[in-house]
């Protein structure tokens, strides 16, 4: 009871409680053994120092030896200790592996009692999540086929933990994910996407995401399990983590190939993700934002699918509404992918007033280095294709030189071929602003300015904007 209260932990630690509990694990009374193991688990769970003290106290071998002999209550308590120790660091998890605990935990996965299976699965997941070597050790111990059997058990709690452990194993490498696939996990996980239990859906979606992310082949296997359009319902779930994990799964599939992205578009996935982005806030939006960016990056047609599905405005809203720089950076990147293909794509982004927003974020000194880099890249991608001059001209007044060259470059391409645009450029003060730009002689920016100036009579270029405004109605501007 004392170990269950955080305020008592330091007092117990100073009293050397771990060394006092160790002999109780061998007590002749089973209840005392179980209670001692539970207390050790609570202490180890509190922080890494106490977990390390449990390891140094040579308690783990004692627990492991008893796992195969004791009753179900002791097994659950012992598995709890192993989980509590292993969760803190790869080094502590490795200590559990070295004392032979994995084999005993795998045996517990075959126990008749679902609570023992759950405790063992939980401990294996905490070991596997640290790195690929520890995850491989769990696989080598024979855990995966038994975990797949566990997700087929009727107990919801056991399903959750087994799915979570499969996710932890799959995440590190394609080879580990393939091991999970070979055990037949995908079909059983896919069947649980519509389970009413939100916590189970979180873990199922996470496991499928961790499998799909590694390669085209693995992503295709997940798609072949007929998760579409069923998975799209998760994007409307009341649980925020179900939404986020559902969007993450779709993102991990979409990123691989244009064909997989097109499949998602055809299933209504882009529209569903856009609705999801519009209905939530914060990090829940992030995977959906990235998914739209991946889809748009693949091809002109897929980018246009994002535009036609009205995806630009919600992405722009993310730039304005979100406070976290990494979310803004993802939105900026996605908008850059949407607008980089053709003038039509760039115009669709520009008319949503995205460019001034990107520029303001780029110039904001509070923006992180990554956010500034992403907004700069997005601006460059869009500006280099944008021929919609009304969206470009306001930027002339605020843009720094490294962005200004792309804006002026677009005017230098368009003005020689558009007389109406040339007249408007004078009357709106755009030409005067170009004259105020101080460009390095011989630079690309200076070449662009010269090209623009050559579109006009010399006297027009040299006069002030005030004189231009006065004489603009008297001269027939036929150039």
């Amino acid at each position: 009871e004392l170990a269950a209260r955080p305020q008592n932990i330091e007092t117990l630690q100073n009293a050397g409680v771990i060394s006092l509990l160790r002999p109780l694990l061998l007590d002749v009374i089973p209840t005392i053994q179980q209670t001692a193991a539970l207390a050790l688990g609570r202490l180890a769970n509190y922080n890494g120092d106490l977990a390390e003290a449990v390891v140094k106290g040579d308690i783990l071998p004692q627990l492991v030896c008893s796992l195969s002999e004791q009753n179900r209550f002791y097994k659950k308590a012992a598995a709890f200790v192993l989980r509590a120790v292993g969760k803190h660091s790869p080094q502590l998890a490795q200590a559990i592996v070295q004392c032979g605990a994995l084999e005993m935990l795998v045996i517990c996965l075959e126990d008749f009692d679902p609570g023992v299976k759950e405790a063992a699965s939980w401990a294996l997941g905490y070991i596997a999540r640290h790195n690929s070597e520890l995850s491989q050790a769990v696989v080598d111990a024979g855990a995966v086929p038994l975990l797949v059997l566990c997700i087929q058990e009727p107990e919801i709690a056991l399903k959750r933990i087994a799915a979570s452990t499969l996710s932890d194993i799959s995440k590190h490498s394609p080879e580990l994910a393939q091991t999970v696939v070979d055990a037949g996990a995908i079909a059983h996980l896919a069947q649980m996407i519509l389970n009413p239990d939100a916590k189970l859906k979180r873990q199922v979606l996470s496991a499928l995401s961790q499998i799909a992310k590694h390669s085209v082949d693995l992503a295709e296997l997940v798609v072949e399990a007929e998760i579409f359009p069923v998975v799209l319902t998760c994007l409307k779930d009341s649980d925020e983590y179900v939404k986020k994990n559902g969007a993450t799964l779709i993102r991990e599939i979409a990123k691989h190939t244009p064909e997989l992205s097109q499949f998602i578009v055809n299933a209504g996935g882009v529209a569903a993700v856009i609705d999801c982005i519009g209905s939530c806030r914060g990090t829940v939006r992030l995977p959906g934002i990235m998914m739209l960016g991946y889809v748009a990056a693949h091809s002109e047609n897929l980018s246009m699918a994002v535009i036609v599905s009205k995806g630009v405005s919600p992405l722009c809203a993310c730039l304005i509404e979100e406070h976290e720089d990494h979310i803004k950076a993802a939105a900026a990147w996605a908008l850059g992918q949407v607008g980089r293909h053709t003038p039509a794509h760039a115009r669709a982004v520009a008319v949503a007033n995205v460019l001034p927003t990107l520029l303001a974020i780029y110039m904001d000194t509070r923006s992180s280095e990554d956010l500034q880099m992403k907004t700069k890249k997005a601006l460059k991608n869009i500006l280099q294709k944008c021929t919609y001059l009304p969206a470009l001209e306001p930027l002339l007044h605020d843009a720094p030189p490294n962005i200004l060259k792309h804006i002026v470059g677009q005017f230098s391409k368009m003005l020689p071929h558009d007389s109406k645009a040339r007249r408007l450029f004078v009357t709106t003060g755009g030409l005067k602003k170009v004259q105020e730009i101080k460009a390095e002689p011989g630079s690309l920016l200076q070449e662009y300015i010269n090209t623009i100036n050559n579109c006009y009579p010399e006297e027009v270029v040299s006069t002030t904007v005030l004189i231009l405004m006065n004489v603009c109605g008297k001269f027939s501007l036929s150039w």
Side-chain angles (χ1 to χ4, degrees):
E1 287 298 323
L2 288 172
R5 298 186 178 91
Q7 63 268 29
N8 297 328
I9 297 292
E10 190 175 341
T11 304
L12 291 169
Q13 188 176 5
N14 293 336
V17 70
I18 289 176
S19 60
L20 297 173
L21 286 169
R22 187 188 172 201
L24 297 179
L25 292 172
L26 299 174
D27 197 276
V28 292
I29 302 173
T31 307
I32 292 177
Q33 294 176 9
Q34 296 153 23
T35 306
L38 186 61
L40 284 166
R42 287 174 174 169
L43 289 165
N45 195 51
Y46 185 72
N47 63 35
D49 291 338
L50 282 164
E52 195 170 336
V54 169
V55 173
K56 288 179 177 177
D58 213 25
I59 289 168
L60 295 184
Q62 201 168 305
L63 284 169
V64 172
C65 288
S66 305
L67 262 176
S68 60
E69 303 165 1
Q70 298 285 356
N71 62 31
R72 59 195 174 103
F73 301 107
Y74 183 88
K75 287 177 181 178
K76 284 190 275 190
F80 171 54
V81 178
L82 295 172
R83 171 186 121 204
V85 170
K87 78 172 192 177
H88 293 289
S89 70
Q91 292 76 23
L92 289 169
Q94 185 62 43
I96 294 172
V97 174
Q98 287 171 347
C99 73
L102 292 184
E103 289 73 14
M104 291 297 104
L105 288 169
V106 168
I107 290 171
C108 287
L109 289 178
E110 298 183 272
D111 197 275
F112 180 76
D113 184 81
V116 174
K117 292 179 183 176
E118 182 187 336
S121 177
W122 212 333
L124 289 166
Y126 271 73
I127 294 166
R129 69 178 50 181
H130 289 295
N131 58 46
S132 58
E133 289 78 14
L134 288 165
S135 191
Q136 187 64 55
V138 171
V139 169
D140 293 343
V144 173
L146 295 171
L147 288 167
V148 173
L149 288 174
C150 286
I151 62 173
Q152 300 171 62
E153 295 284 353
E155 292 80 16
I156 291 293
L158 178 55
K159 286 178 182 284
R160 288 178 194 156
I161 304 306
S164 173
T165 303
L166 289 171
S167 177
D168 287 328
I169 292 169
S170 301
K171 71 181 182 181
H172 298 291
S173 71
E175 293 77 20
L176 287 164
Q178 188 65 55
T179 303
V180 172
V181 171
D182 292 342
I186 290 179
H188 298 294
L189 290 167
Q191 289 171 4
M192 293 188 285
I193 289 175
L194 286 180
N195 191 289
D197 185 78
K199 290 180 180 177
L200 175 57
K201 281 193 284 191
R202 292 179 194 173
Q203 302 305 334
V204 165
L205 293 166
S206 173
L208 290 170
S209 300
Q210 299 295 2
I211 293 168
K213 74 179 185 180
H214 292 292
S215 69
V216 177
D217 290 341
L218 288 169
E220 287 177 347
L221 287 172
V222 172
V223 170
E224 286 168 10
E226 298 182 353
I227 64 166
F228 289 97
V230 175
V231 72
L232 302 182
T233 61
C234 297
L235 301 179
K236 296 181 179 179
D237 201 276
S238 58
D239 186 277
E240 296 284 85
Y241 291 100
V242 171
K243 279 185 183 178
K244 184 178 180 181
N245 290 2
T248 301
L249 173 55
I250 299 168
R251 178 194 73 192
E252 298 299 355
I253 294 168
K255 72 181 184 182
H256 289 294
T257 66
E259 291 75 19
L260 284 169
S261 282
Q262 187 64 59
F263 179 86
I264 292 169
V265 170
N266 295 345
V270 165
V273 167
I274 290 168
D275 288 343
C276 179
I277 290 172
S279 67
C280 55
R281 296 289 182 273
T283 56
V284 180
R285 279 175 155 176
L286 185 58
I289 292 168
M290 294 179 68
M291 177 269 183
L292 294 178
Y294 282 129
V295 171
H298 283 306
S299 72
E300 292 179 16
N301 289 340
L302 287 166
S303 180
M304 191 54 71
V306 174
I307 293 167
V308 170
S309 299
K310 299 181 170 55
V312 174
S313 293
L315 287 172
C316 188
C318 293
L319 285 175
I320 298 166
E321 296 168 359
E322 293 299 331
H323 303 294
E324 298 287 337
D325 278 7
H326 69 283
I327 302 175
K328 289 183 177 182
W333 169 78
L335 286 164
Q337 299 308 310
V338 173
R340 72 182 178 86
H341 296 284
T342 70
H345 292 80
R347 177 170 180 147
V349 174
V351 295
N353 206 37
V354 167
L355 296 174
T357 305
L358 287 171
L359 183 62
I361 294 171
Y362 172 65
M363 296 180 67
D364 191 336
T365 54
R366 295 169 297 178
S367 296
S368 67
E369 185 178 344
D370 180 62
L371 177 54
Q372 288 182 327
M373 184 182 74
K374 293 286 198 310
T375 49
K376 178 185 174 182
K377 181 69 174 174
L379 279 166
K380 180 181 176 182
N381 284 345
I382 299 164
L383 289 172
Q384 286 179 334
K385 294 293 181 180
C386 187
T387 57
Y388 184 58
L389 300 185
L392 297 180
E393 192 168 321
L395 305 181
L396 284 170
H397 302 279
D398 301 311
N402 59 339
I403 301 296
L404 197 58
K405 68 179 179 183
H406 300 297
I407 302 167
V408 177
Q410 290 305 102
F411 279 104
S412 74
K413 293 175 189 175
M414 297 299 296
L415 291 178
H417 311 291
D418 190 334
S419 59
K420 183 180 178 182
R422 291 199 296 272
R423 287 194 294 272
L424 283 171
F425 199 56
V426 174
T427 57
T428 57
L431 184 63
K432 177 180 181 294
K433 181 60 187 174
V434 168
Q435 307 315 307
E436 293 171 356
I437 297 170
K438 295 177 181 178
E440 290 288 329
S443 65
L444 192 59
L445 179 56
Q446 186 60 59
E447 287 183 27
Y448 292 151
I449 293 171
N450 293 341
T451 302
I452 293 171
N453 289 343
N454 290 338
C455 295
Y456 298 94
E458 189 177 337
E459 61 270 19
V460 172
V461 176
S462 59
T463 54
T464 65
V465 70
L466 180 60
I467 295 173
L468 279 171
M469 293 299 289
N470 287 335
V471 303
C472 204
K474 299 178 184 178
F475 284 86
S476 175
L477 301 181
S478 57
W479 52 84

